[in-house]
Amino acid sequence: MTAATPAISVITATLNSATLLPRLIASLEAQTDRDFEWVVADGDSSDATVAIARSASLPRVVVDARPDFSIYDALNRGIRLATGDYYLVLGSDDELFPDAIASFRRALREAPQPGPDILAASVMVNGTVVRPNNAPPWRRSGNGWIGNHAVGTAFRRDLHDRFGYYSNRFVVAADMFFVRSVMAAPGATLVAADFVAGRFAVGGISSVDRMATLSDVFRVQLRFEKHKWFQFLLYISRVAREL
């Protein structure tokens, strides 16, 4: 990896996202630094998703369409297709602010070399800026270190050589399991960057199916937290609030 010019891939998993993609594409086309690739892992959409993605006016667009069994399966495929030193995940309804790629590249260039494992920026969620390192992991799992998995976090792509790809054991929280796996490793490095990368759209399964999310995150926490009884109490209290 060339420290002065870290290459970035933006990875999006899609499925019948034709009505959502134009806003995302517009935010990618508006980047002040266009030195990145966009990798779209499509789950064999029946609408115009693939055609819209391929029409994006970007230096490098890679679209791979085939059936998959989950968003994480699609993201894993996208990671294998990507060529960047780092990658960002963007949902089809998310958007990057115009200076996001430039800010990520600058922060990676200025970070202690050979570069962090994870670079976490802030993310706008429901009108509120969510910053990295804003809560202890025992309370927020992987989000104790990052602002949000999508939009605001750049991961070293070669981390998957060491920690595997997103696990199919977690339908909703495979990203949290991956972040916790990385941060539990000796010598893991994370840099919290002082910029807001973009806007995360609330509407995916993690936001809509709260019970599934709480259950999956609880399972992740049981793998990493020492005081499992305390995690059980937290889980019960969170479920009770949803009833």
Side-chain angles (χ1 to χ4, degrees):
M1 182 180 70
T2 303
T5 55
I8 290 179
S9 300
V10 175
I11 300 175
T12 302
T14 59
L15 179 62
N16 296 330
S17 305
T19 60
L20 302 174
L21 276 183
R23 184 177 65 178
L24 168 62
I25 291 173
S27 78
L28 296 177
E29 292 175 340
Q31 291 301 303
T32 57
D33 183 341
R34 289 166 61 87
D35 189 6
F36 66 94
E37 67 175 0
W38 185 35
V39 179
V40 179
D42 182 75
D44 202 20
S45 291
S46 58
D47 64 4
T49 296
V50 171
I52 292 172
R54 285 176 173 156
S55 70
S57 179
L58 296 169
R60 177 173 164 78
V61 178
V62 178
V63 180
D64 183 82
R66 69 183 74 183
D68 54 51
F69 58 85
S70 72
I71 185 172
Y72 293 112
D73 183 40
L75 289 178
N76 287 340
R77 193 166 83 248
I79 292 165
R80 292 185 178 99
L81 291 168
T83 62
D85 303 302
Y86 288 83
Y87 73 89
L88 311 174
V89 172
L90 279 174
S92 54
D93 51 354
D94 297 332
E95 60 183 305
L96 284 182
F97 294 153
D99 290 333
I101 295 295
S103 297
F104 273 113
R105 282 164 58 86
R106 181 174 60 252
L108 290 169
R109 185 171 60 247
E110 295 174 352
Q113 296 305 310
D117 293 320
I118 300 174
L119 190 141
S122 299
V123 182
M124 185 75 71
V125 182
N126 276 338
T128 300
V129 174
V130 179
R131 303 186 184 282
N133 291 328
N134 67 349
W138 62 261
R139 183 159 67 88
R140 297 201 68 227
S141 191
N143 280 341
W145 288 286
I146 64 177
N148 200 71
H149 173 249
V151 182
T153 309
F155 296 93
R156 289 184 69 101
R157 192 166 53 88
D158 61 11
L159 285 173
H160 294 282
D161 296 333
R162 297 166 53 197
F163 299 99
Y165 288 83
Y166 293 112
S167 173
N168 59 17
R169 296 195 303 272
F170 301 95
V171 177
V172 184
D175 54 325
M176 293 295 96
F177 180 74
F178 180 70
V179 171
R180 294 229 57 172
S181 297
V182 172
M183 296 309 298
T189 55
L190 180 143
V191 169
D194 188 21
F195 66 90
V196 182
R199 186 174 289 108
F200 172 73
V202 176
I205 186 173
S206 62
S207 303
V208 174
D209 192 341
R210 291 295 301 156
M211 290 300 186
T213 301
L214 292 176
S215 177
D216 241 21
V217 171
F218 172 59
R219 291 172 57 221
V220 171
Q221 293 296 77
L222 289 181
R223 296 287 296 271
F224 293 97
E225 289 296 322
K226 178 179 179 181
H227 302 295
K228 302 185 188 310
W229 61 269
F230 184 62
Q231 290 301 316
F232 179 76
L233 292 177
L234 283 177
Y235 173 63
I236 293 299
S237 68
R238 288 165 176 165
V239 168
R241 287 198 297 270
E242 296 294 326
L243 298 178

